[in-house]
Amino acid sequence: MDETLKRLLEAEVRAEQIARQAEAAQERIIQEAILEARAEETRFEARIPELYRSFQEKAEARAAQANSELKRRYDERHKRLRDLAEERELEALEAAFSLLVDPEADD
């Protein structure tokens, strides 16, 4: 019986050691995870200015492209209006001249 009790006590001591080792390993893993999470957070915070700059550059590029497109449309419309004005110029001059020569002819 003494031998059985002795073996049980040894088994209990080993089980307690294993449990303490497991708790220590668990705590070590938790601390490593916390440190890793903090390091990731620090790396992310360090990248915020770069991310902001990248976003701003893309926004500026899109704005410049939109501005270019608006200018192109404006130039096209301006040219069409100029062409129309030139087409109608002779007609307008003839009508004005007719009015000057014979103001009552239109009535």
Side-chain angles (χ1 to χ4, degrees):
M1 184 79 148
D2 286 340
E3 191 60 36
T4 304
L5 286 176
K6 189 176 180 182
R7 281 194 322 228
L8 284 173
L9 285 174
E10 288 173 359
E12 186 178 351
V13 168
R14 279 196 312 265
E16 286 177 0
Q17 287 174 340
I18 291 170
R20 280 193 300 273
Q21 288 172 348
E23 287 174 0
Q26 179 184 15
E27 184 60 32
R28 189 175 56 254
I29 290 170
I30 290 171
Q31 292 305 316
E32 287 173 0
I34 289 171
L35 289 175
E36 188 175 326
R38 286 182 183 153
E40 286 297 321
E41 183 178 8
T42 301
R43 280 192 290 275
F44 175 74
E45 287 175 354
R47 287 195 59 222
I48 288 174
E50 174 189 337
L51 294 171
Y52 178 77
R53 220 175 7 263
S54 172
F55 175 77
Q56 188 173 8
E57 287 170 1
K58 288 177 185 174
E60 287 174 359
R62 285 191 305 271
Q65 183 178 2
N67 193 25
S68 237
E69 180 65 19
L70 288 173
K71 184 179 180 337
R72 184 187 62 77
R73 287 185 197 165
Y74 171 80
D75 290 345
E76 287 174 358
R77 183 170 173 90
H78 184 259
K79 184 181 179 328
R80 279 197 312 266
L81 289 173
R82 256 287 151 226
D83 291 345
L84 283 172
E86 287 175 8
E87 287 175 14
R88 303 282 192 254
E89 182 179 17
L90 183 59
E91 186 180 322
L93 287 173
E94 287 175 355
F97 185 70
S98 293
L99 281 175
L100 287 174
V101 172
D102 190 9
E104 295 178 13
D106 195 32
D107 290 339

